[in-house]
Amino acid sequence: EYPVMSIGGFLGMGPDHYTLPWKKLKYVVARHGFVVDLDKETLAKAPKHDRGNEPVYDATYGMMINEYYGLGR
């Protein structure tokens, strides 16, 4: 229900996982994938989790993610 972006780590160990609202993703055909327009400061303060410690992806969590990224409820 939510896209999750993984950043950091080495050889799959220790990356942070960031849940994003679908509205923040843009598919770019030339890149054959999604692009997210975020600055480093926004991402540094964004809600994140590590593998095995995932949040409960429910409506309340979704609202919190949308609010963080300025998309309202």
Side-chain angles (χ1 to χ4, degrees):
E1 291 186 32
Y2 301 94
V4 176
M5 179 173 58
S6 177
I7 298 177
F10 181 71
L11 298 175
M13 297 174 56
D16 290 321
H17 296 85
Y18 299 86
T19 304
L20 302 169
W22 282 106
K23 291 180 181 181
K24 293 300 281 183
L25 277 70
K26 178 181 178 185
Y27 190 80
V28 178
V29 175
R31 292 191 173 201
H32 305 285
F34 289 96
V35 173
V36 181
D37 184 20
L38 295 174
D39 59 51
K40 288 183 180 184
E41 183 177 329
T42 300
L43 190 59
K45 295 177 182 178
K48 63 184 175 182
H49 63 277
D50 56 356
R51 187 178 192 109
N53 195 22
E54 293 85 3
V56 175
Y57 295 109
D58 59 8
T60 301
Y61 184 74
M63 285 188 295
M64 185 269 297
I65 292 297
N66 284 333
E67 287 177 8
Y68 177 78
Y69 289 102
L71 300 173
R73 293 180 175 225

